[in-house]
Amino acid sequence: MQKKLLLSLCLAASVLLSSCGAEETSRNGPLSRRYYHYFDTVSTVYCYGSASDEEFGKNVDEISTILEKYHIFFDIYHEYSGVTNLCTINKNAGGEPLAVDPELFDFLRLCIGLYDETDGKMNVMMGSVLSLWHDCRQEASGHPENASIPSDERLAEAAKHTDITLLELDESNLTVRISDPLASIDVGAVGKGYAAERAADYLRTAEGGENYVLDIGGNLRIMGAKPDGSPYRAAVKDPMNPDGAAAAVLSLEDVSCVTSGVYERYFTVDGRSYHHIIDPDTLYPSERFLSVTVVARDSGSADALSTALFCMSLEEGMALAGERGDFQALWITPDGRLHMTDGLVMAQ
Ligand code: ADP
Ligand code: MG
């Protein structure tokens, strides 16, 4: 009997495990390989198909190389020798244009497009504001007694350096420049999904590349259907009890499924919780939803949209889904109610 797959959409974040780098392969269930080194989270590749051990080994090595490449490109905290990454670009803000790898250039071009598509709700040039919240979260995790939130003055000052046009791309020379020395880029809202899609691109033409499921830090990329032709089942966590029963179980085939939730990364000040998705209009964590799940073919779009929808009203998000027609979404509001687009398919 075919075992039912219930994939968790959790961000299996574990900074503690990040140095382990363990690998797992077994034939009791699907073949799988887990990575701890990329995007400050845990990622797992599953193969439900009939790839040989050798094919699977080659494919997961290749996927590891792809994830590592984008991990390095997107790292805003470290530079790497021989690579111009986002950390280099941020440090160079206000300076001369920097030549970048065409793959990083393509990604940055896409980020500008996603800003336009989401009416600025997903803005990768919000680095100055996001870093204030990030620093408070870090401080709160090390020293909860010192936990505080950024002052409104500092947030307002930082927000003056978030215009998307500060990111200058020169198409003919493939150079990048941030024109304002106080501005910076942060692609946390879209990077993992984009990298997952690049891994999916690879699998599409790889030997033994059928029937894979990629869980890149909770961003699911489901390649095709199960080997028996039936769809996969994916659980959407209950944001109020993430370790308990699922809030919904979705039926998914050849799509990505990405959730942004208040329970993923947050800190507490005076009994109040502050999560990691920042509304560009208020400069505070968006209080509209407990989680937003997006199902779309392209994993980068799904990732960007999950963050963007979090920062718009339900009506605006529903309207965007209707206009575009290329994604479905599930919103969980603070009262615990579920709202969804008509095309979302629940598992039986
Ligand atoms: P996850 O961390 O689970 O992947 P998201 O995809 O929603 O969650 O991305 C959240 C991250 O995106 C934050 O940690 C921050 O780096 C960045 N971010 C938060 N709010 C915004 C926003 N409005 N626009 C762009 N990036 C954002
Ligand atoms: Mg996102």
Side-chain angles (χ1 to χ4, degrees):
M1 196 178 77
Q2 184 90 29
K3 252 189 171 177
K4 279 190 176 166
L5 169 68
L6 193 65
L7 285 165
S8 177
L9 293 182
C10 68
L11 223 194
S14 183
V15 180
L16 285 177
L17 286 175
S18 63
S19 59
C20 300
E23 295 172 358
E24 296 174 8
T25 304
S26 105
R27 265 299 183 190
N28 298 330
L31 288 169
S32 68
R33 173 81 57 95
R34 188 159 290 168
Y35 312 95
Y36 297 105
H37 297 302
Y38 310 131
F39 309 113
D40 193 17
T41 184
V42 179
S43 299
T44 313
V45 172
Y46 302 92
C47 173
Y48 289 84
S50 53
S52 66
D53 288 350
E54 204 182 344
E55 287 169 335
F56 179 73
K58 177 172 184 299
N59 289 341
V60 288
D61 284 350
E62 226 24 82
I63 290 171
S64 180
T65 305
I66 293 166
L67 297 181
E68 180 172 30
K69 177 172 67 182
Y70 285 99
H71 169 86
I72 289 173
F73 281 159
F74 299 162
D75 192 336
I76 56 172
Y77 300 108
H78 308 96
E79 289 191 276
Y80 300 80
S81 86
V83 185
T84 296
N85 71 352
L86 296 186
C87 184
T88 323
I89 293 170
N90 281 342
K91 278 189 174 172
N92 186 61
E96 293 299 307
L98 294 175
V100 297
D101 189 291
E103 287 173 315
L104 179 56
F105 193 90
D106 284 348
F107 168 76
L108 293 173
R109 187 197 293 113
L110 183 96
C111 287
I112 294 175
L114 288 167
Y115 173 94
D116 295 332
E117 287 175 34
T118 62
D119 201 18
K121 301 297 185 195
M122 201 296 292
N123 176 6
V124 296
M125 286 307 293
M126 275 172 63
S128 54
V129 169
L130 296 173
S131 69
L132 293 177
W133 285 103
H134 177 267
D135 292 349
C136 288
R137 197 166 67 241
Q138 289 293 102
E139 178 67 13
S141 88
H143 303 279
E145 69 283 3
N146 294 342
S148 67
I149 59 169
S151 70
D152 287 346
E153 292 71 30
R154 293 188 73 197
L155 286 170
E157 192 51 45
K160 292 179 185 160
H161 309 279
T162 57
D163 201 295
I164 193 73
T165 59
L166 298 173
L167 178 61
E168 298 179 352
L169 303 187
D170 179 336
E171 294 280 344
S172 42
N173 295 310
L174 292 192
T175 59
V176 178
R177 173 176 183 259
I178 293 175
S179 57
D180 175 345
L182 298 180
S184 62
I185 189 163
D186 175 327
V187 301
V190 60
K192 279 186 305 200
Y194 187 85
E197 198 58 38
R198 301 292 70 79
D201 286 344
Y202 161 76
L203 283 173
R204 249 176 241 119
T205 56
E207 296 281 323
E210 296 83 35
N211 306 111
Y212 279 69
V213 173
L214 313 176
D215 175 350
I216 309 301
N219 283 26
L220 291 183
R221 181 57 170 97
I222 292 171
M223 312 282 297
K226 288 199 224 169
D228 69 1
S230 62
Y232 290 94
R233 296 154 52 88
V236 176
K237 289 189 161 215
D238 175 353
M240 287 182 286
N241 184 12
D243 299 320
V249 181
L250 307 180
S251 175
L252 302 175
E253 180 178 330
D254 209 21
V255 286
S256 286
C257 181
V258 177
T259 295
S260 290
V262 297
Y263 53 87
E264 288 171 337
R265 292 181 197 228
Y266 62 90
F267 65 104
T268 307
V269 181
D270 296 334
R272 218 180 139 169
S273 169
Y274 296 89
H275 65 81
H276 68 321
I277 300 161
I278 306 300
D279 183 333
D281 297 327
T282 63
L283 309 179
Y284 267 67
S286 167
E287 294 185 347
R288 296 175 186 275
F289 308 107
L290 299 181
S291 76
V292 178
T293 298
V294 170
V295 175
R297 183 64 70 89
D298 182 276
S299 198
S301 303
D303 197 1
L305 286 166
S306 73
T307 309
L309 293 191
F310 216 103
C311 300
M312 339 179 156
S313 69
L314 183 59
E315 294 69 30
E316 287 168 326
M318 283 279 187
L320 186 64
E323 273 161 34
R324 289 176 58 122
D326 63 351
F327 73 90
Q328 303 297 327
L330 169 72
W331 295 259
I332 303 183
T333 38
D335 58 9
R337 288 176 58 199
L338 274 58
H339 311 259
M340 60 196 84
T341 50
D342 291 340
L344 202 67
V345 182
M346 294 291 155
Q348 299 302 316

